[in-house]
Amino acid sequence: MTAIIAGRFSERVPARWLIGPGLMLVGIGLILMGGLSGDSTWTHLIPGFIVAGLGAGLVNPPLASTAIGVVPPEKAGMASGANATFRQVGIAAGIAALGSIFTAGMERNLAQAHLTAASAPRIVTMVRQGQAGRLLASLPPASRGQVAAAIRSGFAAGLNDVVLVTAVLAFAGALCALLLIRPRDFVRAGRSEPENVSQVAGKTGADAASPAGSA
């Protein structure tokens, strides 16, 4: 929904007033996703998903137009390719960085549990590999419930760290968008004023003089 609105208003509203508030909504949505515990259900994430989704819809259309709007038309393809490349690099680097943050948060939480303090790194590794069921099956039946609760709590702690870090980055990106995306940096906006004032007057004078000179 917001993507349609952003697409319609991108020609009339400066890009920074779409990208900045959009990233703020993303940050707010991520904050709403926080506060998870081992007993949280998936419905806890729904409000944050909705708010962050609305923010992402505001960001994506003007982000693409901004990437090609600050270069001459003949270099639009190059700018679009650079934008796509940096987005892919950002996704890859973000997954690696946030994965490390998640792992550290989960391991720290598991280390605080006396039951799993000695084997926290092994548990984290198996959870990351999707082998939590296999891990629990290898434990004595009497301790499976306690270990499962510790894993859920550790998973929630790691996810809380991830959403907090990404929320801070979203707010920082919103601030940078509001401060650094300037209308005068756009090629068309930069050329519109001289084209409408002095250059048009010069062209009109030249056009008016050319028939007389040819006659």
Side-chain angles (χ1 to χ4, degrees):
M1 180 179 66
T2 52
I4 298 175
I5 296 174
R8 290 180 178 178
F9 283 92
S10 59
E11 294 294 330
R12 289 173 286 178
V13 178
R16 61 179 177 175
W17 295 116
L18 294 173
I19 297 176
L23 288 174
M24 287 183 182
L25 284 177
V26 172
I28 294 172
L30 289 166
I31 292 295
L32 292 175
M33 294 180 201
L36 293 166
S37 66
D39 297 326
S40 298
T41 63
W42 64 272
T43 56
H44 178 94
L45 300 173
I46 292 178
F49 278 145
I50 294 173
V51 176
L54 293 174
L58 283 178
V59 170
N60 285 325
L63 187 64
S65 61
T66 299
I68 63 175
V70 295
V71 298
E74 62 271 15
K75 295 183 179 180
M78 179 184 66
S80 178
N83 176 55
T85 299
F86 276 100
R87 292 187 73 168
Q88 295 300 321
V89 171
I91 290 172
I95 290 174
L98 294 177
S100 299
I101 293 172
F102 172 80
T103 299
M106 185 174 182
E107 186 171 341
R108 182 180 66 252
N109 188 273
L110 287 174
Q112 295 174 357
H114 299 290
L115 178 65
T116 58
S119 56
R122 173 174 171 267
I123 293 176
V124 171
T125 299
M126 296 193 71
V127 171
R128 289 181 60 189
Q129 295 175 351
Q131 299 180 1
R134 178 181 176 186
L135 170 67
L136 294 175
S138 65
L139 298 175
S143 61
R144 290 176 185 172
Q146 294 177 335
V147 175
I151 291 176
R152 288 195 297 269
S153 178
F155 190 96
L159 194 56
N160 284 330
D161 289 347
V162 168
V163 296
L164 178 61
V165 171
T166 49
V168 171
L169 291 175
F171 288 131
L175 181 62
C176 290
L178 292 173
L179 295 178
L180 301 179
I181 301 178
R182 304 169 299 182
R184 67 175 180 268
D185 292 330
F186 288 80
V187 172
R188 291 180 181 178
R191 291 180 178 177
S192 60
E193 185 175 352
E195 184 75 11
N196 291 335
V197 181
S198 60
Q199 293 184 4
V200 170
K203 290 180 180 180
T204 303
D207 293 341
S210 59
S214 61

